[in-house]
Amino acid sequence: MAKRRLSKQQQHRIQKIQAERTRRAGKREQAIEAQRESGELGSEQSGLVIAHYGQQLDVEALEGEHQGRLFRCFVRANIDSLVTGDRVTWCEGADNTGVIVARQERHSLLQRPDNFGQLKPVAANIDHIVLVIAPEPEPHDNLIDRYLVAAENTEIPAVLLLNKADLLNEGNRGRLEAMLDRYRNLGYEVVEASAHHPDDHGGAITHLVKDRTSVFVGQSGVGKSSIIQTLVPDRELKVGALSESTGKGTHTTTTARLFHLDCGGDLIDSPGIREFGLWHMTPAEIEFGFREIREVIGHCRFRDCRHQGEPGCALDAAVASGNITPERLHSFRRILQAMEEQQARGLKLS
């Protein structure tokens, strides 16, 4: 995802699009003011963003006589970008519509880089990120560490979920348990479950998401979709219901959506947040993403230590003393090396 160099024709087209958006925003503001002056808008109330469709959002009323009902809302031009999971202040209009007038404070925000080198918010007010792995495809700690680095830098707690635990056998159990123990020893919660045999693990997945707002990430094939289907068995019906309740189309299948779970809690589901990378981060952010490594950064003999085996490196000393495992240090160095290669190719954040 390199930062793209645009041609003059592309720059002109983008400027034209931005000008058109500005014109449309101006017209919306005029229409909103007209509604306000004519008394068509109701009083301010709290709402929850359930889904986002460009300039319009589905908002669930959190109070009043229409509590729990969805409204297709426009956004005032002076409000920063809104995402699924945001709590907002809005006013009801006519025909299941409304106007968002303010965004309420967030306690967390998940972001990812887009194709143009910009960090874009994806979902808000998440309680934890559930990193799904499975015996098949075989998990590798370097891939797990990449997700954990991203999670640590969002300051959203991460949980490791070993799905398809029924596939554990004599051939893979020892290696997987040793790997998971490394993360348990770092303070990460590790849960074992099976989406296809939920009763075999005491409802572990349900217990994990109950009364929390969760997102699932992980590589393809680990069963994220099966877990989501288990938690929201009528997901496609609910997507259709969201559209039907507002009288509007869904516009896109890639939009992040929030689902209320029968067990209590919420699930924000979007293909865009099931996988995310690290190319936009700095070496300092990678260091911060390793819990045990950030504790010893700054204690190397040389201030410009690159932690690649230089004399007096505090990370090597921590491995020798048992405070950092060799596997995690190897993973850390691989990630740093990959970042240097990406920078050499021109990958960077605007």
Side-chain angles (χ1 to χ4, degrees):
M1 290 191 209
K3 181 182 176 183
R4 297 179 178 179
R5 181 173 297 175
L6 303 178
S7 66
K8 289 184 178 180
Q9 184 178 7
Q10 289 173 320
Q11 291 175 0
H12 175 72
R13 186 165 66 247
I14 290 173
Q15 290 171 356
K16 187 176 180 180
I17 292 172
Q18 290 174 339
E20 177 62 19
R21 286 176 177 170
T22 300
R23 186 187 67 81
R24 289 178 182 175
K27 289 185 67 174
R28 283 197 301 272
E29 284 297 301
Q30 291 175 3
I32 292 171
E33 285 302 322
Q35 286 180 300
R36 273 188 175 279
E37 291 174 3
S38 64
E40 294 179 32
L41 294 181
S43 58
E44 294 184 354
Q45 57 181 301
S46 292
L48 174 66
V49 177
I50 299 294
H52 195 303
Y53 308 107
Q55 301 301 318
Q56 300 178 35
L57 301 93
D58 280 350
V59 173
E60 177 184 351
L62 296 179
E63 57 184 330
E65 60 178 318
H66 298 311
Q67 183 175 356
R69 185 168 150 189
L70 295 183
F71 293 81
R72 184 61 59 89
C73 293
F74 293 95
V75 186
R76 295 298 301 256
N78 62 339
I79 300 176
D80 291 339
S81 58
L82 294 169
V83 292
T84 301
D86 266 323
R87 290 180 176 265
V88 297
T89 302
W90 68 289
C91 300
E92 182 181 348
D95 301 324
N96 288 332
T97 64
V99 176
I100 298 173
V101 298
R103 188 192 74 214
Q104 298 177 14
E105 186 175 355
R106 295 165 170 160
H107 70 73
S108 66
L109 179 65
L110 181 61
Q111 300 182 96
R112 59 171 290 148
D114 65 12
N115 291 337
F116 298 95
Q118 300 284 343
L119 270 182
K120 297 295 184 183
V122 179
N125 298 317
I126 299 164
D127 293 319
H128 63 184
I129 295 171
V130 181
L131 168 54
V132 185
I133 60 175
E136 301 173 7
E138 180 181 351
H140 296 281
D141 42 11
N142 185 252
L143 181 61
I144 294 172
D145 291 338
R146 288 175 178 272
Y147 282 112
L148 292 179
V149 166
E152 291 285 339
N153 277 274
T154 63
E155 298 186 352
I156 301 173
V159 179
L160 273 70
L161 171 61
L162 177 65
N163 191 31
K164 305 182 184 179
D166 50 302
L167 297 181
L168 287 171
N169 54 49
E170 293 301 319
N172 60 27
R173 186 183 301 274
R175 189 189 67 82
L176 282 171
E177 285 298 330
M179 183 184 69
L180 293 176
D181 280 343
R182 288 198 291 272
Y183 297 105
R184 290 188 182 99
N185 293 336
L186 290 169
Y188 288 107
E189 181 181 1
V190 178
V191 177
E192 296 185 12
S194 172
H196 293 298
H197 305 281
D199 294 336
D200 293 348
H201 299 274
I205 295 176
T206 299
H207 179 73
L208 182 62
V209 300
K210 183 178 174 60
D211 299 328
R212 300 179 184 178
T213 299
S214 309
V215 297
F216 289 84
V217 301
Q219 69 182 117
S220 298
V222 295
K224 297 184 299 293
S225 297
S226 296
I227 293 171
I228 293 169
Q229 184 65 28
T230 299
L231 293 170
V232 192
D234 53 349
R235 177 182 177 277
E236 295 304 322
L237 292 175
K238 289 189 176 183
V239 169
L242 288 178
S243 177
E244 184 178 346
S245 67
T246 60
K248 309 291 183 181
T250 55
H251 296 283
T252 175
T253 58
T254 59
T255 294
R257 304 176 192 278
L258 185 146
F259 296 97
H260 297 308
L261 303 177
D262 292 339
C263 63
D266 299 318
L267 167 69
I268 296 179
D269 177 30
S270 169
I273 55 178
R274 294 189 199 175
E275 299 183 19
F276 52 100
L278 303 180
W279 65 264
H280 61 291
M281 291 186 177
T282 65
E285 288 171 321
I286 301 300
E287 294 168 357
F288 180 83
F290 283 76
R291 289 181 173 181
E292 71 278 41
I293 286 178
R294 68 181 178 228
E295 298 298 324
V296 298
I297 291 296
H299 293 83
C300 297
R301 182 187 304 172
F302 302 107
R303 242 186 307 181
D304 59 350
C305 182
R306 296 174 62 250
H307 317 303
Q308 299 293 334
E310 292 88 346
C313 179
L315 274 59
D316 289 326
V319 170
S321 64
N323 292 324
I324 297 176
T325 65
E327 293 86 355
R328 285 274 285 180
L329 180 59
H330 178 67
S331 180
F332 169 76
R333 286 172 170 167
R334 281 185 61 189
I335 292 174
L336 278 184
Q337 183 178 358
M339 297 247 340
E340 291 178 357
E341 293 172 356
Q342 290 166 338
Q343 289 177 357
R345 295 200 307 270
L347 288 172
K348 60 182 179 178
L349 196 67
S350 295

